[in-house]
Amino acid sequence: MSSSIRQLEPLSLWNHFSDLNAVPRPSKKEERVIQFMVDFGKSLHLDTKVDKVGNVIITKPATKGFEHRKTIVMQSHLDMVHQKNADTVFDFDVEGINMFIEGDWVKADGTTLGADNGLGVAAIMAVLSSTDIPHPEIEALFTIDEETGMTGAMGLEAGWLEGEILLNLDTEDDDEIDMGCAGGIDVTATKTYKEEETPSKTVGYTISVTGLQGGHSGMDIHKGLGNANKIMNRLLFDGFEHFGLRIAEVNGGSLRNAIPRESFATIVINEASQQSFLHKIGALAQTIKEEFKTVDSDLNIDIKPTELPQTVMNLDAQESFIRSVYAALNGVYKMSADMDDLVETSNNIAKVTVKEGQIQVACLTRSSSETSKFDLANSLRACFELASFDVEFSGSYPGWQPNVNSEILKVLTSLYEEMFEEKPRVVACHAGLECGILGQNYPQMDMISFGPTIRGAHSPDEKVSISSVQKFWKFLLNILANIPEKTA
């Protein structure tokens, strides 16, 4: 299936993307893709370095006539989100991505595609390997672990880069130029509980919530998509309130930056109540599906008999767990007062696990305001601490503050209007671009972000528009040819 991708235009970009997608590159396991990039740089006889955290920097001299232009940093991240459908047999640790073409879209077979941010990486590789593209001196920065902590950007020390302009290629709409982004913080609530022997005269059931779209927990958080953890908790709450449902296990969601698509629970119910329970929980499932029919029409909720588990949660822990997850905010907390239609602050209840005496609720809170970010994080902390959870904040990173006087912003908006005969959408986004973090050690660097149109990032529905990649590539080449000259 992937061979047809190599025939797409621009050939160099799509071939580099195919090569990259043959290399497993999960976040925090980037050793193979780091070596892949080092081998690539050295094969071109370009200066290639790796910093102490694993970021790869490849430097290419300016082409003839561009020696007096400002040095640019072209930046994308090497890692990708690993999500697959429940019925897809695939091992991200050893297998490359299986791609195919459907109309104007390149997709993956039951998994994430890795267009986020593999298309950006491939575009930079295409420029580095070219012999006929005019450009100034380039420092290609390939960061690691963007998707699960931004530790690559955080670990890049001052002194590695000399560029005056940074082009981040991690935006997901081809008519959009990003000049700012949200920061984020991980909020993790944990609690231990005592397991009790399963009561007598009970029967076991599994509840599964599947078929949700999922998506990017920043860029898609305003769409009202279903969160599998919140839906599951609603079902558990109702069963507990009306029928004394007892929980044995819960496993929902995966990565913090992905809206959870699936959740699974093992529960027990009193034998005498099971028919009433099945009727009421079935009716609630239909109500929930009706609520989400417009945005998540494939939502599926199944309740099936299963082997009776040996143990369940003790009642006090179960009640505090269900009520705290019900009370915790998920979704948009606040819209920006300064930019139309921009989410300022949000939270994603990303992963919920209950098993063997341990509860964990993992959230990602985002905001373009540091004060609002911690306001919501503290609200979540208070909610879970009231239920006797331990709450930890970690991985906090800053947003990227817009600079309306940016020189490179003016270059891009002017070129876009000239090339496409319309104005681009100049925005700040509700996602965690690395620009804000990189700017801490490189405060004078003029930064901008753009990219091709990608849909369904962080989910197995991820796809990238072929025509959009062509548009993005032409735009990128024109930008490289119009980088301003160095100031005296």
Side-chain angles (χ1 to χ4, degrees), residues 267-475:
I267 61 97
V268 302
I269 202 78
N270 190 284
E271 284 181 350
S273 303
Q274 62 177 318
Q275 293 306 317
S276 298
F277 164 74
L278 291 173
H279 176 76
K280 191 170 193 311
I281 206 77
L284 177 58
Q286 285 302 121
T287 297
I288 295 171
K289 290 171 70 173
E290 182 69 19
E291 290 172 359
F292 284 98
K293 66 180 182 181
T294 302
V295 293
D296 264 311
S297 58
D298 293 331
L299 168 61
N300 189 46
I301 300 172
D302 278 332
I303 303 99
K304 294 181 178 179
T306 191
E307 183 179 344
L308 189 69
Q310 293 183 346
T311 60
V312 294
M313 299 177 75
N314 73 72
L315 278 172
D316 287 345
Q318 175 176 304
E319 182 168 10
S320 64
F321 160 68
I322 292 175
R323 294 188 184 282
S324 59
V325 174
Y326 215 136
L329 181 132
N330 179 80
V332 176
Y333 181 61
K334 188 178 182 182
M335 298 296 292
S336 171
D338 300 315
M339 298 189 73
D340 292 341
D341 302 320
L342 174 66
V343 177
E344 181 192 273
T345 310
S346 73
N347 183 60
N348 179 43
I349 300 179
K351 185 170 178 61
V352 175
T353 55
V354 176
K355 189 174 183 179
E356 297 176 350
Q358 302 287 333
I359 308 171
Q360 184 185 75
V361 181
C363 304
L364 174 53
T365 300
R366 301 179 187 264
S367 184
S368 51
S369 162
E370 281 292 287
T371 55
S372 288
K373 181 177 79 175
F374 281 101
D375 175 39
L376 179 51
N378 283 323
S379 173
L380 293 164
R381 179 167 69 94
C383 173
F384 286 108
E385 285 182 344
L386 282 170
S388 300
F389 280 75
D390 294 321
V391 180
E392 179 186 13
F393 293 168
S394 62
S396 179
Y397 58 89
W400 167 30
Q401 294 303 311
N403 174 15
V404 295
N405 297 313
S406 162
E407 181 181 35
I408 193 61
L409 172 62
K410 294 174 182 176
V411 170
L412 265 66
T413 51
S414 176
L415 286 175
Y416 190 97
E417 289 183 41
E418 179 183 315
M419 292 178 66
F420 306 115
E421 299 182 345
E422 63 178 4
K423 291 181 180 293
R425 293 187 297 121
V426 179
V427 300
C429 69
H430 192 63
L433 299 175
E434 293 159 290
C435 300
I437 298 169
L438 295 170
Q440 290 184 304
N441 282 333
Y442 297 89
Q444 303 307 314
M445 197 176 286
D446 195 7
M447 301 182 181
I448 206 73
S449 180
F450 60 101
T453 297
I454 298 170
R455 293 290 177 263
H458 299 185
S459 84
D461 297 324
E462 182 183 6
K463 58 185 180 180
V464 61
S465 164
I466 297 167
S467 58
S468 174
V469 171
Q470 294 164 351
K471 176 184 175 182
F472 157 72
W473 179 245
K474 292 176 183 176
F475 189 38

Side-chain angles (χ1 to χ4, degrees), residues 167-192:
L167 305 180
N168 170 281
L169 308 184
D170 196 15
T171 292
E172 297 173 3
D173 283 286
D174 66 15
D175 64 345
E176 185 174 288
I177 297 173
D178 272 280
M179 57 183 292
C181 72
I185 187 169
D186 294 341
V187 180
T188 307
T190 57
K191 183 177 181 176
T192 60

Side-chain angles (χ1 to χ4, degrees), residues 193-205 244-249 266-271 306-315 318:
Y193 64 89
K194 291 181 180 179
E195 293 183 292
E196 297 180 349
E197 185 177 346
T198 301
S200 61
K201 297 183 180 181
T202 55
V203 290
Y205 282 91
L245 172 152
R246 301 294 295 274
I247 297 172
E249 288 188 10
T266 302
I267 61 97
V268 302
I269 202 78
N270 190 284
E271 284 181 350
T306 191
E307 183 179 344
L308 189 69
Q310 293 183 346
T311 60
V312 294
M313 299 177 75
N314 73 72
L315 278 172
Q318 175 176 304

Side-chain angles (χ1 to χ4, degrees), residues 216-225 259 330-332 343 346-348 430:
H216 193 293
S217 69
M219 301 302 289
D220 297 323
I221 200 72
H222 65 289
K223 296 179 179 179
L225 300 172
I259 297 171
N330 179 80
V332 176
V343 177
S346 73
N347 183 60
N348 179 43
H430 192 63

